[in-house]
Amino acid sequence: MKSKDLTKKIITFSGQTAGRDKFYRTCQYGSKLLWWCLEQGSGDPDLIRKVKALEKTIGTSRKLFRFGKSFDAITAAMKTIHLPDVFLSFTITLAKLNQSVYLLIDHTLWAHRIGLVEVDSKRLSNLSTRFWLATLILNLSRDLYELSNVLNDAMALYAKRVGGGGIGNHYTSNGEDGRDSQHLSTNNNSSQLDFVILCLQQNMPVVLDLVKNTADIFLPLSSLGYLPIPVGVQGLCGLISSLVGLSTVWESTLKIQP
Protein backbone atom coordinates (compact mmCIF):
# COMPACT_ATOMS: atom_id res chain seq x y z
CA MET A 1 0.00 0.00 0.00
CA LYS A 2 1.35 3.40 -1.00
CA SER A 3 2.00 5.95 1.76
CA LYS A 4 -0.65 8.26 0.30
CA ASP A 5 -3.25 5.49 0.30
CA LEU A 6 -2.25 4.46 3.83
CA THR A 7 -2.62 8.03 5.08
CA LYS A 8 -6.06 8.26 3.50
CA LYS A 9 -7.01 4.94 5.08
CA ILE A 10 -5.88 6.10 8.52
CA ILE A 11 -7.84 9.36 8.20
CA THR A 12 -10.95 7.47 7.13
CA PHE A 13 -10.53 4.99 9.97
CA SER A 14 -10.00 7.62 12.67
CA GLY A 15 -12.98 9.56 11.38
CA GLN A 16 -15.34 6.68 12.16
CA THR A 17 -16.89 6.37 15.60
CA ALA A 18 -16.62 2.59 15.36
CA GLY A 19 -12.93 2.86 14.49
CA ARG A 20 -12.14 5.03 17.50
CA ASP A 21 -14.17 2.80 19.81
CA LYS A 22 -12.36 -0.34 18.63
CA PHE A 23 -9.01 1.41 19.06
CA TYR A 24 -9.84 2.50 22.62
CA ARG A 25 -11.19 -0.97 23.42
CA THR A 26 -7.91 -2.46 22.25
CA CYS A 27 -6.04 -0.06 24.55
CA GLN A 28 -8.40 -0.87 27.42
CA TYR A 29 -7.93 -4.64 27.30
CA GLY A 30 -4.28 -4.26 26.38
CA SER A 31 -3.85 -2.27 29.60
CA LYS A 32 -5.70 -4.95 31.54
CA LEU A 33 -3.40 -7.65 30.19
CA LEU A 34 -0.34 -5.45 30.80
CA TRP A 35 -0.98 -4.72 34.47
CA TRP A 36 -1.76 -8.39 35.09
CA CYS A 37 1.57 -9.37 33.49
CA LEU A 38 3.35 -6.71 35.57
CA GLU A 39 1.77 -8.09 38.75
CA GLN A 40 2.82 -11.63 37.88
CA GLY A 41 6.35 -10.41 37.30
CA SER A 42 6.52 -8.32 40.48
CA GLY A 43 6.57 -5.08 38.52
CA ASP A 44 6.76 -1.55 39.86
CA PRO A 45 3.62 -0.99 42.04
CA ASP A 46 3.41 2.64 40.95
CA LEU A 47 3.46 1.63 37.27
CA ILE A 48 0.82 -1.04 37.91
CA ARG A 49 -1.38 1.55 39.62
CA LYS A 50 -1.04 3.91 36.66
CA VAL A 51 -1.88 1.20 34.10
CA LYS A 52 -4.93 0.16 36.14
CA ALA A 53 -6.04 3.80 36.26
CA LEU A 54 -5.57 4.02 32.49
CA GLU A 55 -7.75 0.96 31.94
CA LYS A 56 -10.51 2.37 34.14
CA THR A 57 -10.36 5.79 32.49
CA ILE A 58 -10.60 4.32 29.00
CA GLY A 59 -13.52 2.14 30.11
CA THR A 60 -15.42 5.19 31.36
CA SER A 61 -14.60 7.16 28.21
CA ARG A 62 -15.89 4.35 25.98
CA LYS A 63 -19.24 4.49 27.75
CA LEU A 64 -19.50 8.13 26.69
CA PHE A 65 -18.42 7.37 23.11
CA ARG A 66 -21.16 4.74 22.84
CA PHE A 67 -23.84 7.17 24.01
CA GLY A 68 -26.83 6.93 21.67
CA LYS A 69 -25.76 3.65 20.05
CA SER A 70 -28.68 1.90 21.75
CA PHE A 71 -31.00 3.68 19.33
CA ASP A 72 -28.81 2.66 16.39
CA ALA A 73 -29.23 -0.97 17.47
CA ILE A 74 -33.02 -0.61 17.56
CA THR A 75 -32.99 0.92 14.05
CA ALA A 76 -30.87 -1.99 12.81
CA ALA A 77 -33.28 -4.49 14.40
CA MET A 78 -36.18 -2.95 12.47
CA LYS A 79 -34.33 -3.78 9.24
CA THR A 80 -33.12 -7.30 10.04
CA ILE A 81 -36.58 -8.42 11.15
CA HIS A 82 -37.52 -8.57 7.46
CA LEU A 83 -34.73 -10.99 6.43
CA PRO A 84 -36.16 -13.93 4.42
CA ASP A 85 -34.17 -16.51 6.41
CA VAL A 86 -36.23 -17.08 9.57
CA PHE A 87 -33.31 -18.20 11.72
CA LEU A 88 -31.12 -15.26 10.70
CA SER A 89 -34.02 -12.86 11.15
CA PHE A 90 -34.70 -14.19 14.67
CA THR A 91 -31.11 -14.34 15.93
CA ILE A 92 -29.86 -11.06 14.42
CA THR A 93 -32.95 -9.05 15.37
CA LEU A 94 -33.05 -10.40 18.93
CA ALA A 95 -29.31 -9.81 19.26
CA LYS A 96 -29.77 -6.18 18.19
CA LEU A 97 -32.61 -5.69 20.70
CA ASN A 98 -30.54 -7.21 23.51
CA GLN A 99 -27.64 -4.99 22.49
CA SER A 100 -29.84 -1.90 22.63
CA VAL A 101 -30.93 -2.72 26.20
CA TYR A 102 -27.34 -3.50 27.20
CA LEU A 103 -26.15 -0.16 25.82
CA LEU A 104 -29.06 1.76 27.36
CA ILE A 105 -28.14 0.40 30.79
CA ASP A 106 -24.51 1.22 30.00
CA HIS A 107 -25.51 4.85 29.37
CA THR A 108 -27.17 4.92 32.80
CA LEU A 109 -24.08 3.46 34.47
CA TRP A 110 -21.95 6.15 32.83
CA ALA A 111 -24.27 8.86 34.15
CA HIS A 112 -23.99 7.29 37.61
CA ARG A 113 -20.21 7.09 37.43
CA ILE A 114 -19.85 10.81 36.73
CA GLY A 115 -22.42 11.69 39.42
CA LEU A 116 -25.43 12.71 37.28
CA VAL A 117 -27.79 10.07 38.71
CA GLU A 118 -27.87 7.73 41.68
CA VAL A 119 -28.62 4.09 40.88
CA ASP A 120 -27.81 0.62 42.19
CA SER A 121 -24.73 0.31 40.01
CA LYS A 122 -23.96 -3.28 41.06
CA ARG A 123 -27.46 -4.49 40.16
CA LEU A 124 -27.54 -2.58 36.87
CA SER A 125 -24.04 -3.73 35.94
CA ASN A 126 -25.08 -7.33 36.53
CA LEU A 127 -28.21 -6.85 34.41
CA SER A 128 -26.24 -5.17 31.64
CA THR A 129 -23.77 -8.06 31.59
CA ARG A 130 -26.63 -10.55 31.24
CA PHE A 131 -27.96 -8.72 28.19
CA TRP A 132 -24.42 -8.61 26.78
CA LEU A 133 -24.10 -12.38 27.29
CA ALA A 134 -27.45 -12.99 25.58
CA THR A 135 -26.31 -10.83 22.64
CA LEU A 136 -23.10 -12.84 22.26
CA ILE A 137 -24.94 -16.18 22.44
CA LEU A 138 -27.30 -15.06 19.68
CA ASN A 139 -24.41 -13.77 17.57
CA LEU A 140 -22.53 -17.05 18.00
CA SER A 141 -25.65 -18.99 17.01
CA ARG A 142 -25.88 -16.90 13.85
CA ASP A 143 -22.16 -17.42 13.07
CA LEU A 144 -22.36 -21.19 13.51
CA TYR A 145 -25.53 -21.37 11.42
CA GLU A 146 -24.00 -19.40 8.56
CA LEU A 147 -20.74 -21.33 8.71
CA SER A 148 -22.52 -24.70 8.75
CA ASN A 149 -24.57 -23.66 5.71
CA VAL A 150 -21.45 -22.61 3.82
CA LEU A 151 -19.59 -25.82 4.72
CA ASN A 152 -22.57 -28.06 3.91
CA ASP A 153 -23.00 -26.42 0.52
CA ALA A 154 -19.27 -26.64 -0.16
CA MET A 155 -19.10 -30.32 0.78
CA ALA A 156 -22.13 -31.14 -1.35
CA LEU A 157 -20.52 -29.39 -4.28
CA TYR A 158 -17.19 -31.09 -3.63
CA ALA A 159 -18.88 -34.52 -3.58
CA LYS A 160 -20.61 -33.69 -6.83
CA ARG A 161 -17.31 -32.63 -8.41
CA VAL A 162 -15.52 -35.79 -7.26
CA GLY A 163 -18.42 -37.82 -8.60
CA GLY A 164 -17.97 -36.25 -12.00
CA GLY A 165 -20.87 -33.83 -11.78
CA GLY A 166 -19.04 -31.27 -13.88
CA ILE A 167 -19.42 -28.11 -11.84
CA GLY A 168 -16.88 -26.06 -13.76
CA ASN A 169 -14.05 -24.09 -12.23
CA HIS A 170 -15.76 -22.14 -9.49
CA TYR A 171 -18.14 -22.47 -6.59
CA THR A 172 -20.80 -19.89 -5.86
CA SER A 173 -22.65 -19.65 -2.54
CA ASN A 174 -25.79 -17.51 -2.55
CA GLY A 175 -27.16 -16.70 0.90
CA GLU A 176 -30.93 -16.75 1.36
CA ASP A 177 -30.82 -13.31 2.94
CA GLY A 178 -29.90 -11.68 -0.38
CA ARG A 179 -26.26 -10.96 0.26
CA ASP A 180 -23.72 -10.86 -2.57
CA SER A 181 -22.48 -14.10 -4.07
CA GLN A 182 -19.18 -15.50 -2.84
CA HIS A 183 -16.90 -17.43 -5.20
CA LEU A 184 -14.66 -20.35 -4.42
CA SER A 185 -12.13 -21.27 -7.11
CA THR A 186 -11.46 -25.02 -7.34
CA ASN A 187 -9.32 -27.38 -9.33
CA ASN A 188 -9.46 -31.06 -10.08
CA ASN A 189 -6.51 -31.91 -7.83
CA SER A 190 -7.74 -30.16 -4.67
CA SER A 191 -8.41 -32.39 -1.66
CA GLN A 192 -11.43 -32.14 0.61
CA LEU A 193 -9.37 -30.33 3.27
CA ASP A 194 -8.07 -27.88 0.68
CA PHE A 195 -11.62 -27.24 -0.38
CA VAL A 196 -12.76 -26.58 3.21
CA ILE A 197 -9.83 -24.21 3.81
CA LEU A 198 -10.61 -22.40 0.57
CA CYS A 199 -14.25 -22.19 1.65
CA LEU A 200 -13.28 -20.60 4.98
CA GLN A 201 -10.89 -18.18 3.28
CA GLN A 202 -13.67 -16.99 0.99
CA ASN A 203 -16.00 -16.49 3.99
CA MET A 204 -13.61 -14.63 6.31
CA PRO A 205 -16.30 -12.22 7.64
CA VAL A 206 -18.15 -15.16 9.22
CA VAL A 207 -14.94 -16.76 10.50
CA LEU A 208 -13.69 -13.51 12.04
CA ASP A 209 -17.06 -12.80 13.63
CA LEU A 210 -17.02 -16.28 15.15
CA VAL A 211 -13.52 -15.69 16.57
CA LYS A 212 -14.54 -12.27 17.94
CA ASN A 213 -17.71 -13.50 19.64
CA THR A 214 -16.00 -16.63 21.00
CA ALA A 215 -13.26 -14.51 22.59
CA ASP A 216 -15.80 -12.00 23.92
CA ILE A 217 -18.16 -14.50 25.51
CA PHE A 218 -15.65 -15.40 28.22
CA LEU A 219 -15.84 -11.83 29.57
CA PRO A 220 -19.51 -11.77 30.68
CA LEU A 221 -19.25 -15.41 31.78
CA SER A 222 -16.42 -14.36 34.10
CA SER A 223 -18.18 -11.18 35.30
CA LEU A 224 -21.31 -13.16 36.21
CA GLY A 225 -19.27 -15.78 38.06
CA TYR A 226 -20.11 -18.66 35.72
CA LEU A 227 -16.43 -19.28 34.85
CA PRO A 228 -13.43 -18.52 37.10
CA ILE A 229 -11.31 -16.83 34.44
CA PRO A 230 -8.05 -15.11 35.51
CA VAL A 231 -7.72 -11.38 34.85
CA GLY A 232 -4.89 -12.01 32.39
CA VAL A 233 -7.04 -14.37 30.29
CA GLN A 234 -9.85 -11.81 30.34
CA GLY A 235 -7.44 -9.18 29.06
CA LEU A 236 -6.17 -11.52 26.34
CA CYS A 237 -9.70 -12.46 25.21
CA GLY A 238 -10.74 -8.81 25.12
CA LEU A 239 -7.58 -7.90 23.21
CA ILE A 240 -8.16 -10.63 20.61
CA SER A 241 -11.79 -9.63 20.00
CA SER A 242 -10.80 -5.95 19.87
CA LEU A 243 -8.09 -6.59 17.26
CA VAL A 244 -10.57 -8.55 15.15
CA GLY A 245 -13.02 -5.68 15.50
CA LEU A 246 -10.29 -3.25 14.45
CA SER A 247 -9.57 -5.29 11.33
CA THR A 248 -13.24 -5.29 10.28
CA VAL A 249 -13.44 -1.51 10.59
CA TRP A 250 -10.11 -1.02 8.83
CA GLU A 251 -11.16 -3.31 5.98
CA SER A 252 -14.94 -3.14 5.58
CA THR A 253 -15.07 -6.25 3.37
CA LEU A 254 -14.17 -8.30 6.47
CA LYS A 255 -17.26 -7.13 8.34
CA ILE A 256 -20.11 -9.61 8.49
CA GLN A 257 -23.35 -8.57 6.82
CA PRO A 258 -26.10 -7.43 7.06
Side-chain angles (χ1 to χ4, degrees):
M1 183 181 291
K2 296 180 180 179
S3 58
K4 183 177 181 181
D5 294 334
L6 179 59
T7 302
K8 184 178 179 181
K9 193 86 171 178
I10 293 174
I11 293 173
T12 302
F13 175 84
S14 60
Q16 300 178 66
T17 302
R20 292 194 297 272
D21 179 63
K22 297 301 182 184
F23 174 75
Y24 292 136
R25 190 178 194 268
T26 301
C27 294
Q28 178 186 355
Y29 283 101
S31 299
K32 192 182 192 75
L33 179 60
L34 177 59
W35 67 253
W36 179 82
C37 290
L38 289 172
E39 281 190 338
Q40 301 308 304
S42 301
D44 182 7
D46 186 55
L47 177 59
I48 294 174
R49 179 183 57 80
K50 290 179 179 179
V51 177
K52 284 184 176 181
L54 175 63
E55 180 210 347
K56 185 175 181 180
T57 300
I58 295 175
T60 303
S61 300
R62 287 187 61 237
K63 291 182 184 297
L64 174 60
F65 297 148
R66 294 200 300 263
F67 203 83
K69 285 191 67 176
S70 56
F71 303 106
D72 293 338
I74 294 176
T75 302
M78 297 302 292
K79 297 178 180 178
T80 57
I81 198 172
H82 299 296
L83 291 175
D85 188 302
V86 177
F87 186 83
L88 289 178
S89 176
F90 174 79
T91 53
I92 298 176
T93 302
L94 198 56
K96 294 295 183 184
L97 292 175
N98 272 275
Q99 183 185 29
S100 69
V101 177
Y102 152 66
L103 289 170
L104 187 61
I105 298 174
D106 204 48
H107 300 339
T108 306
L109 288 172
W110 171 80
H112 169 77
R113 187 171 292 186
I114 66 172
L116 287 178
V117 296
E118 285 296 327
V119 296
D120 186 345
S121 60
K122 186 176 181 179
R123 177 174 173 276
L124 276 184
S125 181
N126 183 275
L127 184 61
S128 174
T129 304
R130 290 181 184 277
F131 277 104
W132 182 22
L133 177 60
T135 301
L136 291 172
I137 291 174
L138 289 164
N139 285 337
L140 277 172
S141 300
R142 178 260 182 101
D143 293 337
L144 293 172
Y145 173 77
E146 293 223 58
L147 201 57
S148 65
N149 282 344
V150 169
L151 291 175
N152 287 337
D153 290 346
M155 286 301 94
L157 194 58
Y158 178 82
K160 185 177 180 181
R161 181 176 67 81
V162 172
I167 56 176
N169 63 356
H170 70 274
Y171 160 68
T172 301
S173 172
N174 293 313
E176 292 183 0
D177 56 351
R179 60 174 52 99
D180 293 335
S181 299
Q182 295 168 321
H183 301 280
L184 291 175
S185 300
T186 63
N187 59 71
N188 293 331
N189 297 322
S190 63
S191 67
Q192 186 174 6
L193 179 60
D194 293 334
F195 197 70
V196 170
I197 293 174
L198 187 61
C199 172
L200 295 177
Q201 289 175 343
Q202 294 298 322
N203 289 274
M204 283 306 294
V206 180
V207 175
L208 288 176
D209 201 62
L210 178 63
V211 172
K212 179 172 69 68
N213 289 318
T214 300
D216 263 341
I217 202 168
F218 290 105
L219 302 177
L221 286 174
S222 176
S223 296
L224 293 171
Y226 295 142
L227 286 177
I229 302 175
V231 173
V233 177
Q234 294 176 38
L236 180 61
C237 288
L239 183 60
I240 291 172
S241 64
S242 298
L243 290 173
V244 173
L246 267 176
S247 68
T248 60
V249 178
W250 178 266
E251 184 54 66
S252 59
T253 57
L254 296 178
K255 186 175 179 61
I256 194 169
Q257 300 297 327

